[in-house]
Amino acid sequence: MARPRTPLLSPDRIRDAALTLIDAQGLAALSMRRLADTLGVQPSSLYSHYATKDEVLDAVANRVVREVDTSGFARGWRDGLLIWARSYHSVLVAHPNCAPVIASGTQRREQFLEMANSVHGGLVGAGWPARRATEISGAVKYLVIGAASTPFGSGFADDVQVYLDRYPHLSQAHRLRHEANRIDHDSFELGLTSLIRGLEPGPGQTE
Amino acid sequence: MARPRTPLLSPDRIRDAALTLIDAQGLAALSMRRLADTLGVQPSSLYSHYATKDEVLDAVANRVVREVDTSGFARGWRDGLLIWARSYHSVLVAHPNCAPVIASGTQRREQFLEMANSVHGGLVGAGWPARRATEISGAVKYLVIGAASTPFGSGFADDVQVYLDRYPHLSQAHRLRHEANRIDHDSFELGLTSLIRGLEPGPGQTE
DNA sequence: CTTGCGAACCGAATGCTGTTCGGTTAATAT
DNA sequence: ATATTAACCGAACAGCATTCGGTTCGCAAG
């Protein structure tokens, strides 16, 4: 085959296929060869649309982060932070295999800058000094990224009994392996609400 | 060469060389070939000591996490959490290229279980219910891992001027690129102290 | 004291990986 | 009609983790 009459590929099609592959098979399963396979195409053809694999991953990251809701700051900075953080968190929970891509991503990606800009603006608009706004949004981001990067759910060995005598304090936590998702969610919620509650004293002017 | 009179390799030597290589050149620079090179050995020889590259990375992760201080709970749970989190954070700051390894690591690794066990024990000993202790340590862990995984310092494009008009709220934050380390540190500190301050109501019995 | 065995290393090979390059055809712009 | 560019293929390259058979050494048992 040479050039087809109607294009087989497009940046969006490739990006979506990559996301589907990552969601279904994991980040390690994404290779240009496999990606090309699912699109019915040779690997080298992908390079007509993306210069490198990293660019594909950037597109995937942008696609995922695009879903994050930063509109809550109209209802005050506390609600704004809560809505943003929960939205960000739930988006990453929906695409857990993308977490490393999002986490390690450079701040160069457009959707990330868009999001950071909205959050920062929301905080400054509510009266926080710029520097403090940066720190607050940074701290909340850390919480979101951390929650997505090291879930309880992934990881514990299947034979729980092994630990019980060696790590006595963990026995309670381990019993709950099947409740890992709930633990993850509750830990994140506790961290988020506590962090926001603990911010002092709050911006003076607008509330 | 066949078998040398005195062994050239040992698990510890390999693990330390891997950590040195990661620290100096980045995680992507660690390959079994390069690792073997720095040790003056053929790649296949490494497999006499570690079954896979992942096992090498596990050893590195354990080595790094071993340095984390969990002894602070003798001075109460607040100090315990603070000391643990700051110690964990500073260890990861000292080995930033290891962050993805630590973050994505399964909870199977010994030093991680040791650490989790100590923290959980410290919280329960101070009166927190087991479930709450799990959530608290989880939330703090999220903060630490997130801070290590997405530092401000890495990532912004070098030509800052590009952003200024497109993302007006970010201009303040961007001006501080050269202060990225300070921002990272302050954000983490703000998140940590706020989170701990915001924990309510605190365990009843022991304080 | 020698015999046997496992440990430690080498060297070559296997099947992946991302990426490049020259070639071919189709669409588009002039 | 002609030139250019875009989209694809097929073959190749270097580097990757890992495996395997072979060699030599240290050590322990008889």
Side-chain angles (χ1 to χ4, degrees):
Chain A
M1 195 200 309
R3 180 176 185 181
R5 300 169 185 284
T6 76
L8 305 172
L9 301 176
S10 77
D12 283 1
R13 257 177 66 72
I14 294 173
R15 178 249 285 150
D16 292 345
L19 178 55
T20 302
L21 214 161
I22 292 172
D23 282 342
Q25 318 248 36
L27 189 56
L30 179 76
S31 77
M32 298 301 266
R33 284 172 157 81
R34 267 194 279 257
L35 181 54
D37 270 356
T38 71
L39 290 161
V41 129
Q42 293 298 320
S44 52
S45 304
L46 301 171
Y47 290 84
S48 295
H49 304 268
Y50 289 99
T52 63
K53 181 186 180 180
D54 275 347
E55 282 192 11
V56 177
L57 288 174
D58 280 344
V60 169
N62 274 324
R63 177 65 185 77
V64 168
V65 165
R66 207 174 65 190
E67 306 293 329
V68 177
D69 180 7
T70 58
S71 69
F73 288 92
R75 312 222 297 263
W77 65 270
R78 291 180 194 273
D79 278 349
L81 273 183
L82 275 174
I83 291 171
W84 168 54
R86 284 172 178 154
S87 165
Y88 201 173
H89 180 247
S90 74
V91 162
L92 293 184
V93 166
H95 303 282
N97 297 335
C98 290
V101 183
I102 309 283
S104 74
T106 71
Q107 269 71 8
R108 200 168 285 127
R109 303 195 272 231
E110 295 178 36
Q111 292 296 327
F112 285 73
L113 291 166
E114 198 86 55
M115 178 172 72
N117 187 55
S118 296
V119 172
H120 198 265
L123 290 169
V124 169
W128 287 101
R131 173 189 281 199
R132 199 59 161 193
T134 301
E135 293 164 2
I136 293 172
S137 61
V140 172
K141 183 188 70 172
Y142 293 163
L143 206 56
V144 173
I145 298 296
S149 299
T150 66
F152 248 98
S154 80
F156 279 119
D158 288 327
D159 47 348
V160 172
Q161 293 301 326
V162 169
Y163 309 123
L164 291 185
D165 44 346
R166 269 210 284 177
Y167 307 103
H169 296 306
L170 287 183
S171 53
Q172 282 295 326
H174 277 92
R175 279 203 314 116
L176 304 176
R177 189 192 191 278
H178 64 286
E179 295 189 55
N181 287 343
R182 189 191 57 71
I183 293 181
D184 279 330
H185 187 267
D186 290 352
S187 300
F188 173 72
E189 272 296 319
L190 176 68
L192 177 63
T193 54
S194 298
L195 196 161
I196 292 179
R197 188 187 307 123
L199 284 174
E200 63 178 4
Q205 41 277 54
T206 323
E207 248 294 5
Chain B
M1 192 200 311
R3 179 178 185 182
R5 301 172 183 280
T6 75
L8 304 173
L9 300 176
S10 75
D12 283 0
R13 257 177 65 72
I14 295 173
R15 178 250 284 151
D16 291 345
L19 178 55
T20 301
L21 214 160
I22 292 172
D23 281 341
Q25 318 247 29
L27 189 57
L30 179 76
S31 77
M32 297 301 265
R33 281 169 158 80
R34 268 195 276 257
L35 183 54
D37 270 356
T38 71
L39 290 161
V41 129
Q42 295 297 319
S44 52
S45 303
L46 300 171
Y47 291 86
S48 295
H49 303 269
Y50 290 98
T52 64
K53 181 185 181 180
D54 275 345
E55 282 193 12
V56 178
L57 288 173
D58 279 344
V60 169
N62 274 323
R63 177 65 184 76
V64 168
V65 165
R66 207 174 64 189
E67 305 293 329
V68 177
D69 181 7
T70 57
S71 70
F73 289 92
R75 312 224 298 264
W77 65 269
R78 290 180 194 274
D79 279 348
L81 273 183
L82 276 173
I83 291 171
W84 168 54
R86 285 173 177 153
S87 164
Y88 199 172
H89 181 248
S90 74
V91 162
L92 293 184
V93 166
H95 303 283
N97 297 334
C98 289
V101 183
I102 310 281
S104 74
T106 70
Q107 269 69 8
R108 200 169 285 127
R109 303 195 275 229
E110 293 177 36
Q111 292 296 328
F112 285 73
L113 291 164
E114 198 86 56
M115 178 174 70
N117 188 57
S118 296
V119 173
H120 198 266
L123 289 170
V124 169
W128 287 101
R131 174 191 281 201
R132 200 60 162 189
T134 300
E135 293 164 2
I136 293 172
S137 61
V140 172
K141 183 188 69 171
Y142 293 164
L143 205 55
V144 173
I145 297 295
S149 299
T150 67
F152 249 97
S154 80
F156 279 117
D158 287 329
D159 46 349
V160 172
Q161 293 300 329
V162 170
Y163 309 124
L164 291 187
D165 43 346
R166 267 210 286 178
Y167 307 104
H169 296 307
L170 287 182
S171 53
Q172 282 298 324
H174 277 94
R175 278 202 314 116
L176 303 176
R177 190 192 191 277
H178 62 286
E179 297 188 53
N181 286 342
R182 190 192 56 72
I183 294 181
D184 280 330
H185 188 267
D186 290 352
S187 300
F188 172 72
E189 272 297 319
L190 176 68
L192 178 62
T193 53
S194 299
L195 197 162
I196 291 180
R197 187 187 307 121
L199 285 173
E200 64 176 2
Q205 39 278 53
T206 323
E207 248 293 3

